Amino acid sequence: MVETESHVKKFQKELSAGTVSLVLLAVLGQSTEPLYGYQIAKRLELTGDPLLVGKQSALYPVLRNLSAAGLAESHVEPSVSGPPRRYYRITELGSQVLADWAATWQTTRRSVDSVLEGNLR
């Protein structure tokens, strides 16, 4: 059982690494206003998916990478109840890339599901 758990955790980590950018960009793409990290984490918690739940600190490197790639933009605003907050918003390029990534995800998901369901022809 322990051996199986370690393989599952390794697989989850590898799978997560490839989907976190897609998920974060989708959250930004669905928002009508800029969001800061805690707001993004709360929206992810609503899905019930353990992908990033409870791992708010893991969001920031990915958000920085999205910004560096021109897929998101950010700005800092002062906060009355603590340190300044960095807000993120999807860019026009980010919206285009999100559409491409979502299509790729759907194709990949269909292919994997087909194999897992034994629908090889």
Side-chain angles (χ1 to χ4, degrees):
M1 180 76 166
V2 173
E3 249 182 70
T4 303
E5 288 177 21
S6 68
H7 287 287
V8 169
K9 285 183 180 180
K10 183 177 186 283
F11 178 71
Q12 286 173 327
K13 183 177 180 180
E14 291 170 354
L15 189 59
S16 174
T19 56
V20 172
S21 293
L22 170 61
V23 169
L24 291 181
L25 205 55
V27 169
L28 293 176
Q30 293 166 7
S31 179
T32 57
E33 59 190 25
L35 300 171
Y36 59 94
Y38 181 76
Q39 291 173 311
I40 295 168
K42 285 299 176 191
R43 289 185 185 205
L44 289 172
E45 283 181 14
L46 293 176
T47 69
D49 189 331
L51 183 67
L52 285 172
V53 172
K55 299 177 185 171
Q56 185 181 347
S57 63
L59 300 177
Y60 296 104
V62 179
L63 288 167
R64 281 192 298 271
N65 289 341
L66 292 173
S67 291
L71 306 180
E73 58 189 16
S74 70
H75 68 277
V76 177
E77 289 185 17
S79 170
V80 293
S81 62
R85 294 180 177 152
R86 180 167 296 277
Y87 287 81
Y88 295 88
R89 175 188 298 273
I90 195 168
T91 62
E92 186 176 327
L93 174 62
S95 294
Q96 295 167 1
V97 168
L98 175 58
D100 291 341
W101 286 0
T104 301
W105 172 259
Q106 293 299 329
T107 300
T108 302
R109 193 174 117 210
R110 279 193 299 274
S111 297
V112 171
D113 285 348
S114 181
V115 172
L116 291 176
E117 294 165 5
N119 296 328
L120 296 175
R121 299 192 203 303

